[in-house]
Amino acid sequence: NAGVMQNPRHLVRRRGQEARLRCSPMKGHSHVYWYRQLPEEGLKFMVYLQKENIIDESGMPKERFSAEFPKEGPSILRIQQVVRGDSAAYFCASSRDREQPQHFGDGTRLSIL
Amino acid sequence: SQQGEEDPQALSIQEGENATMNCSYKTSINNLQWYRQNSGRGLVHLILIRSNEREKHSGRLRVTLDTSKKSSSLLITASRAADTASYFCATSAGNMLTFGGGTRLMVKP
């Protein structure tokens, strides 16, 4: 069974560009979560999606950030007009349902020049 | 401040010793989970303990939960060099996991 797959593993963008991070959940998992981790810190929740629906986006900045989980294809976290402060590791997790453990991908490390 | 706070922030022990990490949280929870993260990698789920459970075992791991004190502990027995990693507790009380800052464990061979 393939785990949660995230790509790219590393992404470098210049200030003002757009960053697109992709996440394919584990087979059979319809719940996807995105987290952000700064160096030496724990993960901070951003958004929770269930096929085609955003369930909770309380941790996501209101501007420049958006997420989707279409019926077909991976979940996408999109950051428009990136700034230096967006540099972080972004992790995706998936689960069968809300009560089950979340399984994490290896993350995308975003660096803003 | 964070829902989960781990203590200590860093721990260095010799191989074969036991390692104990503690976690405190602030609000009511459905369950509490422990994860391990190796450098540059994602989190690996270790164990989940529900709010109505007090203790749980998995191999060399033992987790306790005291809901009256809003605290949990993770004990790793007979540690190995491969246990070197950061360990995070995460509380679940709705749609998300809320993570603490982690304990960085180093096990010296």
Side-chain angles (χ1 to χ4, degrees):
Chain A
N1 261 346
V4 177
M5 304 300 293
Q6 288 188 250
N7 69 82
R9 288 293 309 277
H10 301 273
L11 182 60
V12 179
R13 284 286 178 268
R14 296 189 180 282
R15 279 179 294 171
Q17 291 184 322
E18 177 180 289
R20 278 182 180 245
L21 288 61
R22 294 175 185 77
C23 169
S24 296
M26 282 182 71
K27 189 176 180 180
H29 289 191
S30 60
H31 298 245
V32 166
Y33 312 79
W34 285 93
Y35 295 84
R36 178 163 63 179
Q37 185 180 33
L38 296 172
E40 306 298 319
E41 292 187 10
L43 277 68
K44 298 286 194 300
F45 169 79
M46 297 181 74
V47 61
Y48 162 42
L49 308 103
Q50 191 182 357
K51 274 298 182 183
E52 300 185 88
N53 294 308
I54 295 175
I55 308 300
D56 184 341
E57 55 182 350
S58 59
M60 200 150 73
K62 300 243 183 302
E63 296 180 354
R64 302 188 298 108
F65 285 72
S66 62
E68 61 178 15
F69 188 18
K71 190 175 180 182
E72 302 291 337
S75 175
I76 306 285
L77 178 68
R78 183 180 175 207
I79 311 173
Q80 295 178 290
Q81 299 173 338
V82 295
V83 300
R84 287 242 169 90
D86 297 333
S87 294
Y90 292 82
F91 289 94
C92 169
S94 72
S95 66
R96 283 191 191 281
D97 59 54
R98 267 176 46 179
E99 300 304 316
Q100 296 301 312
Q102 296 179 21
H103 297 265
F104 283 78
D106 280 339
T108 294
R109 275 142 193 87
L110 176 64
S111 298
I112 308 301
L113 302 180
Chain B
S1 60
Q2 298 179 91
Q3 165 75 320
E5 296 283 350
E6 283 93 341
D7 165 52
Q9 289 188 335
L11 181 61
S12 181
I13 58 174
Q14 292 294 136
E15 207 165 26
E17 294 181 337
N18 295 342
T20 300
M21 288 160 267
N22 302 297
C23 168
S24 60
Y25 57 92
K26 293 184 172 62
T27 62
S28 297
I29 61 172
N30 295 329
N31 62 63
L32 185 145
Q33 304 177 38
W34 284 90
Y35 286 83
R36 185 185 74 211
Q37 184 180 34
N38 289 88
S39 181
R41 302 298 300 273
L43 276 70
V44 174
H45 182 262
L46 295 176
I47 199 164
L48 179 153
I49 186 165
R50 301 193 188 282
S51 58
N52 61 352
E53 297 176 307
R54 291 296 165 259
E55 187 170 313
K56 207 159 182 181
H57 297 254
S58 176
R60 294 185 295 112
L61 306 181
R62 174 177 166 253
V63 168
T64 63
L65 179 64
D66 186 336
T67 52
S68 66
K69 294 180 180 177
K70 292 187 167 57
S71 67
S72 173
S73 67
L74 169 68
L75 168 68
I76 304 174
T77 59
S79 64
R80 305 167 182 167
D83 294 330
T84 294
S86 291
Y87 291 82
F88 295 91
C89 70
T91 52
S92 173
N95 292 323
M96 69 192 82
L97 290 177
T98 304
F99 286 85
T103 292
R104 279 159 283 288
L105 173 66
M106 175 172 288
V107 181
K108 299 175 186 175

